[in-house]
Amino acid sequence: MERKYLYLDYLTCIGCETCETVCDFIHDGSPHIRIYVTENKQYLPINCKHCDDAPCVRVCPTHAIYRDEDGAVRIHEDKCIGCLACLQVCPYGVPFYSLKVRAITKCDMCADRREEGLEPACALMCPAEAIQYGPLVMVLELVNERRAKNIPEHRRELGEEELRKSVSSGYVLL
Amino acid sequence: MRGIKFSFLCKEKPQRTGKRVAIVGAGPAGLTAAGYLVCKGHDVDIYDKMPEPGGLMLFVIPEFRIPVERVRLGAKELEEEFEVTYYPKTKVMEGEREDEGDEFYERVVKLSELRENYDAVLIATGIWNVGRIGIPGDDLEGILSPLELLFWIKGAELGYVPKEKVPDLRGKRVGIIGAGLTAVDAAFECNRLGAEVEIFYRRTIREAPAGAYEINILRNRGVKWFELVTPKRVIGENGRVKAIELLRTRLGEPDETGRRRPVPIEGSEFQVELDYLVFAIGMVPTPPVNGSYIATDRRGRIVVDSRHMTSVEGIFAAGDVANGPTKVSRAIKDGLYAAVSIDRWLRGES
């Protein structure tokens, strides 16, 4: 099976919170993608990045964290001892300990849905198409094309000073 | 690009239940509810007064936030793969009322007729009106409603509004009152079209609903941010906007929303010259009823119970028409949970 990626393009995200809403809906009120609001009110969805060289997989003392055939980083709930070592090493602070399940819970790239041939819900419903799910080549091509498209538009519309400001501000207006 | 997959819960339409649901309003709440209901085997018809489905996502929210194609393909998928039938240019109304975007509808259907002809009805008609602010001169020419302005700009790009209808904003001074997401979107679009934009807000950037992040992007683009001011009157010349008179404010005690209330400072009046003025405040729910057919509250919102059901059995409501102005995700959430209730109700479970 070809490795899949779930990529969140923060330059395209509009902070609408739809990803968290649908994730919350399919996980009965415990979303695996969560919006963090910064002090200046930037809305940032954070979920497991399913890292290539995932520190959580390496640090887990009971080998409870593994990669499934689509490439999702998953938890063996019965092997998890709740030591939170994965939380210590995750740069995104993603692993969430559920007292109900008594194991780490986190984004599994919609494992149940994938079994039925469905894709992760957040990627399907994002109004801005800021979340891509698919093989690496597909994700990279889409994001590369998006960035490349902006370059000539900017050169035509904006002066250098304006271009610098608009790029540094994080927003790219077509 | 792929469309928003409103039917994200299933691969294909399951066996038919034979139940028919009418959804009024093809915005995020209506389309998401439709996606859920078709996955449960119900037949869905969607009525909307605009010429194509998508609601505010398509007609008002700027393209740089939500791509038109993403919305269009999503609505089309419901039609082609899940046999949803759209009735565009159709206003559903019990009683009479004029709303923004009314120039597009060609037919009127009564809400009570839909209730008779379908097993259940979901109202998701959103907020297509803007309340008057109620200061002298607020009806002068050159005062634009944010819906109207954003809708003209987007509608012209989509080919629904003649290009002449969009005011030529190049070099014009546009004042925007308010600091919510609508104000920010209006500022982005006016700035993009070459206007000199100033935003006036009665509190400070810390309280602004759109947040400092968005506002600072605008400031980087040359938009002027004016805080702690409140409009007193609009000054006209030959029936057209010439300037706005503002009062400075200071922040007093917190109000019911927990934000400090702005208190106007007596004698602090000053004027700013303008060509256009946008009151980006007070978007009003537009339920498909004017009168007592279903219950609405003081702010025009449809009253619903925990099942999202209105005062009429079998008629449900979701999205901004029940909540007042919120974000897209809130409409989507409401659409999903209202659809869950409708499905249960149709199965006789509650």
Side-chain angles (χ1 to χ4, degrees):
Chain A
M1 188 87 67
E2 192 174 7
R3 169 96 182 260
K4 305 289 198 311
Y5 285 78
L6 187 65
Y7 180 74
L8 207 157
D9 182 3
Y10 286 100
L11 282 184
T12 305
C13 173
I14 57 170
C16 73
E17 308 180 44
T18 298
C19 48
E20 189 186 272
T21 294
V22 295
C23 190
D24 182 277
F25 183 78
I26 61 176
H27 292 109
D28 300 321
S30 304
H32 296 159
I33 184 163
R34 290 163 194 266
I35 305 290
Y36 288 87
V37 186
T38 63
E39 204 177 339
N40 65 347
K41 285 211 188 136
Q42 207 182 342
Y43 290 74
L44 297 171
I46 305 280
N47 67 325
C48 174
K49 305 298 174 192
H50 305 278
C51 310
D52 208 24
D53 182 8
C56 57
V57 175
R58 281 199 280 155
V59 80
C60 180
T62 57
H63 306 288
I65 309 181
Y66 67 104
R67 191 180 301 281
D68 75 12
E69 53 180 12
D70 280 332
V73 172
R74 306 263 301 271
I75 312 281
H76 275 303
E77 283 170 6
D78 48 351
K79 284 190 188 172
C80 175
I81 55 170
C83 67
L84 305 189
C86 48
L87 181 58
Q88 296 272 355
V89 296
C90 177
Y92 290 91
V94 158
F96 184 86
Y97 189 69
S98 161
L99 287 170
K100 206 163 65 185
V101 187
R102 299 194 74 80
I104 290 291
T105 58
K106 61 166 209 62
C107 168
D108 55 7
M109 279 197 202
C110 284
D112 294 345
R113 291 172 53 83
R114 283 186 285 124
E115 266 174 38
E116 293 171 41
L118 297 164
E119 295 182 7
C122 57
L124 294 177
M125 281 295 283
C126 171
E129 206 181 34
I131 308 176
Q132 276 83 44
Y133 172 75
L136 186 62
V137 180
M138 187 212 94
V139 171
L140 289 180
E141 265 179 16
L142 200 136
V143 178
N144 289 354
E145 188 189 317
R146 219 174 244 172
R147 294 295 105 77
K149 259 187 189 166
N150 287 322
I151 296 168
E153 291 286 339
H154 270 294
R155 296 232 164 107
R156 196 172 65 229
E157 301 258 336
L158 306 172
E160 261 191 31
E161 176 66 16
E162 287 171 295
L163 176 65
R164 188 184 60 76
K165 280 181 180 165
S166 78
V167 171
S168 64
S169 70
Y171 263 89
V172 188
L173 272 179
L174 285 178
Chain B
M1 181 173 280
R2 293 161 73 191
I4 301 175
K5 181 127 174 85
F6 296 107
S7 60
F8 69 96
L9 290 161
C10 65
K11 268 179 112 166
E12 55 199 24
K13 193 167 176 172
Q15 202 181 356
R16 276 200 152 94
T17 61
K19 300 283 187 191
R20 298 173 68 240
V21 181
I23 295 178
V24 188
L31 293 173
T32 306
Y36 182 91
L37 292 168
V38 293
C39 281
K40 292 290 176 185
H42 306 304
D43 290 320
V44 176
D45 289 355
I46 307 184
Y47 295 79
D48 196 289
K49 68 176 176 181
M50 300 306 279
E52 63 172 309
L56 291 187
M57 287 194 294
L58 193 87
F59 288 101
V60 172
I61 296 174
E63 168 77 13
F64 77 89
R65 293 202 197 276
I66 300 180
V68 164
E69 197 188 354
R70 177 99 171 135
V71 181
R72 276 190 173 153
L73 291 174
K76 200 168 146 193
E77 199 236 2
L78 283 178
E79 188 176 25
E80 289 177 354
E81 308 292 325
F82 293 91
E83 298 164 31
V84 165
T85 306
Y86 292 111
Y87 293 92
K89 300 186 182 183
T90 309
K91 182 166 176 166
V92 175
M93 198 66 201
E94 196 75 24
E96 277 176 31
R97 189 189 58 238
E98 279 181 23
D99 305 316
E100 307 240 1
D102 268 1
E103 60 265 41
F104 288 98
Y105 77 78
E106 290 168 358
R107 293 168 288 277
V108 180
V109 176
K110 280 185 150 187
L111 182 61
S112 52
E113 267 175 57
L114 291 186
R115 180 64 197 97
E116 281 163 29
N117 298 335
Y118 288 87
D119 296 296
V121 179
L122 174 67
I123 299 169
T125 45
I127 40 163
W128 281 80
N129 248 336
V130 179
R132 267 277 151 75
I133 181 169
I135 57 168
D138 70 353
D139 53 353
L140 287 163
E141 201 187 317
I143 293 183
L144 305 173
S145 98
L147 276 183
E148 203 171 51
L149 176 70
L150 289 169
F151 170 67
W152 283 342
I153 295 170
K154 197 93 184 276
E157 279 158 17
L158 293 172
Y160 290 119
V161 175
K163 290 259 185 284
E164 310 84 75
K165 192 138 189 194
V166 185
D168 181 10
L169 295 176
R170 204 158 282 272
K172 296 282 182 358
R173 293 159 304 184
V174 179
I176 294 171
I177 312 271
L181 287 173
T182 313
V184 160
D185 280 353
F188 266 111
E189 292 293 73
C190 293
N191 175 264
R192 183 170 68 86
L193 295 175
E196 289 171 31
V197 183
E198 281 186 71
I199 302 179
F200 304 104
Y201 183 52
R202 59 200 181 132
R203 293 187 172 98
T204 75
I205 196 164
R206 294 167 59 92
E207 290 84 20
Y213 176 70
E214 293 278 341
I215 290 163
N216 284 332
I217 293 169
L218 283 166
R219 290 163 91 180
N220 274 344
R221 289 174 178 275
V223 169
K224 285 187 195 140
W225 167 255
F226 224 126
E227 60 185 24
L228 291 171
V229 287
T230 190
K232 188 181 177 192
R233 65 186 175 115
V234 188
I235 297 153
E237 192 176 70
N238 304 324
R240 250 202 87 82
V241 174
K242 184 171 170 280
I244 182 163
E245 186 166 294
L246 299 148
L247 271 169
R248 291 191 190 276
T249 61
R250 60 176 176 80
L251 294 182
E253 292 301 308
D255 63 11
E256 64 275 10
T257 66
R259 295 178 302 172
R260 292 174 68 192
R261 192 190 300 274
V263 183
I265 300 168
E266 295 260 348
S268 65
E269 289 89 346
F270 66 103
Q271 295 181 1
V272 177
E273 292 209 356
L274 295 171
D275 298 304
Y276 289 98
L277 182 59
V278 182
F279 287 106
I281 43 178
M283 312 255 287
V284 183
T286 44
V289 53
N290 192 7
S292 55
Y293 183 69
I294 53 173
T296 52
D297 71 7
R298 232 163 15 100
R299 285 150 76 182
R301 298 175 298 192
I302 295 179
V303 179
V304 292
D305 64 14
S306 60
R307 297 170 298 167
H308 292 263
M309 200 188 278
T310 66
S311 57
V312 177
E313 182 81 5
I315 300 186
F316 297 77
D320 283 358
V321 76
N323 304 319
T326 55
K327 294 170 92 170
V328 169
S329 65
R330 181 69 208 279
I332 285 175
K333 182 179 185 176
D334 241 33
L336 282 171
Y337 285 99
V340 169
S341 290
I342 292 171
D343 176 55
R344 281 197 191 133
W345 186 77
L346 287 173
R347 290 169 197 276
E349 287 172 19
S350 66

